[in-house]
Amino acid sequence: MDSFRLKPNEMMFFIDFNNTLVDYENEYDSNWYYSDQNYMFWFRTQRARLTKALVEFEKLTGLTPVICVITNASSNIVDGNNETGIFNDLYMTFLDNPHLSNFNEEQIKNYYDRSCEKYFKYLIYRDNDVFYKINPFANNLYETYTRVPFDEKALKIRLSPEFKKRESVERIMSFVDPKRDTCKFILFAGDNIKDDYPMKEIETPEGVSKIFIRPKRAQKVTPEIMREFAEAKGETFSLIDTRSGKRMKLVDPGNFEFLPENEKKKILDYSSGDIILLTQKNNRGLVDGINEAGKIIAKQKSGGQMGE
């Protein structure tokens, strides 16, 4: 397990795959597959955008991102290319560099020192009794992923099905930071509030700064968005309008004040005191969030407060 231990200058990034790290359905036209020029342009754009954000984050904060790709997909699902899970999708988008076979060792090192590939370290599926260690220097798809079973201690971490991703994060953390004494900052990102936001609620010591990036259309914090976040944590709401006694369909600025006091308090505490960044959708929004997170962390490390 020592080989998995987080170093003091490393920071965990737990990033949802679909609609956060990539959005094949809306950003990538499958008809382009037959045009090598278009195909490579899309992938290079994805990589370049993420690379710039991660490299700048590392320079600004002094912290090296350690990316764990986290997905609700099963490792057993077979996709349209007859490949299992998201192994091939992740590999083809961010890790496949066949041209490097023509490089010498020094050229390869220089390439990886300025690429996003070096930050990808782990992949974990919904069926999370194991995780996969990523080797971005591998020569092919099948050498890229090493299956690692969780130990007995990690497997004892069990949460209800709606908190599956949080369970996965807790298990990975038991490997990379078992005493929870290394991580001072952790970043989470996911577009689906119900599935992804509970990741951020993992148990950490006091003083650990957690940032959650939600890339989607909504970029303004509204009472209804706050309610969704609070509900994803496990809070429940009657949403009864204290004036009329009727149930509210949505919480908005006009009716928020008429909620029961205890429900208003739960909604206002939607972030648990952590930082929530609402950004534009998909990979672009993820990059926006990473850029903003870098500024926030750099300010805190220099003596400022989170969110100032």
Side-chain angles (χ1 to χ4, degrees):
M1 280 182 58
D2 287 344
S3 62
F4 298 100
R5 296 287 170 87
L6 208 64
K7 298 179 178 63
N9 67 324
E10 292 180 329
M11 174 178 166
M12 291 301 300
F13 280 43
F14 292 98
I15 302 180
D16 170 52
F17 187 67
N18 197 35
N19 297 327
T20 301
L21 191 59
V22 296
D23 182 3
Y24 295 120
E25 184 176 351
N26 295 305
E27 288 194 324
Y28 172 59
D29 183 350
S30 60
N31 292 322
W32 281 16
Y33 181 85
Y34 298 102
S35 167
D36 288 342
Q37 184 177 358
N38 288 337
Y39 180 73
M40 290 309 298
F41 174 77
W42 185 82
F43 284 112
R44 284 171 181 164
T45 300
Q46 297 285 298
R47 293 186 197 189
R49 186 187 297 149
L50 184 61
T51 293
K52 186 175 187 297
L54 293 171
V55 170
E56 288 301 316
F57 179 93
E58 188 171 16
K59 288 179 182 177
L60 187 61
T61 65
L63 297 170
T64 300
V66 173
I67 296 177
C68 176
V69 179
I70 189 162
T71 176
N72 261 341
S74 168
S75 60
N76 298 317
I77 194 171
V78 179
D79 66 18
N81 298 312
N82 204 33
E83 298 286 354
T84 56
I86 63 167
F87 292 121
N88 188 59
D89 290 340
L90 178 59
Y91 177 74
M92 290 298 294
T93 310
F94 296 106
L95 307 170
D96 180 23
N97 289 294
H99 65 280
L100 295 184
S101 60
N102 298 319
F103 287 13
N104 61 39
E105 187 174 332
E106 184 178 354
Q107 288 173 318
I108 292 175
K109 183 181 184 302
N110 288 337
Y111 174 83
Y112 277 106
D113 281 345
R114 50 186 176 82
S115 73
C116 66
E117 285 92 328
K118 69 176 183 177
Y119 300 111
F120 285 88
K121 295 297 176 68
Y122 307 112
L123 165 63
I124 187 163
Y125 286 93
R126 183 170 183 82
D127 34 337
N128 60 2
D129 287 353
V130 304
F131 67 98
Y132 294 86
K133 188 174 183 180
I134 297 172
N135 175 17
F137 297 94
N139 293 320
N140 57 59
L141 170 65
Y142 303 104
E143 293 177 3
T144 298
Y145 304 100
T146 301
R147 183 179 184 274
V148 183
F150 278 117
D151 60 18
E152 186 177 346
K153 180 181 177 182
L155 291 176
K156 286 181 179 178
I157 300 171
R158 292 197 176 276
L159 302 175
S160 54
E162 64 267 31
F163 297 142
K164 197 66 174 178
K165 281 189 174 179
R166 174 177 171 177
E167 180 182 278
S168 296
V169 171
E170 293 277 13
R171 289 182 176 186
I172 287 284
M173 289 297 291
S174 75
F175 262 49
V176 302
D177 192 13
K179 294 182 180 179
R180 302 293 171 93
D181 58 357
T182 303
C183 278
K184 299 297 183 288
F185 304 92
I186 310 176
L187 183 142
F188 306 85
D191 69 299
N192 189 308
I193 293 176
K194 183 178 179 181
D195 287 340
D196 299 323
Y197 187 62
M199 293 192 292
K200 186 192 70 67
E201 294 299 295
I202 65 168
E203 295 294 329
T204 56
E206 186 177 348
V208 174
S209 298
K210 294 183 282 188
I211 299 174
F212 184 86
I213 301 168
R214 195 270 182 129
K216 209 156 186 175
R217 288 187 179 87
Q219 297 179 52
K220 182 180 179 181
V221 178
T222 64
E224 179 63 15
I225 290 288
M226 289 191 286
R227 183 197 63 78
E228 287 184 48
F229 277 118
E231 206 165 57
K233 293 194 302 182
E235 301 288 4
T236 57
F237 298 94
S238 66
L239 300 183
I240 297 299
D241 187 322
T242 55
R243 296 170 302 175
S244 65
K246 295 180 179 179
R247 182 176 171 81
M248 299 176 185
K249 292 182 178 179
L250 295 173
V251 182
D252 59 45
N255 62 23
F256 177 78
E257 65 178 300
F258 300 109
L259 281 170
E261 287 300 321
N262 67 314
E263 296 192 5
K264 284 194 285 188
K265 183 177 180 181
K266 287 190 289 187
I267 287 175
L268 291 173
D269 189 39
Y270 74 102
S271 70
S272 304
D274 298 315
I275 296 292
I276 309 297
L277 302 175
L278 303 183
T279 62
Q280 63 176 312
K281 63 181 181 178
N282 305 325
N283 182 272
R284 291 177 179 82
L286 170 64
V287 165
D288 289 346
I290 291 172
N291 290 335
E292 186 61 28
K295 295 174 187 176
I296 291 169
I297 291 171
K299 188 162 189 174
Q300 184 177 3
K301 290 183 73 175
S302 67
Q305 297 298 311
M306 292 282 278
E308 284 188 344

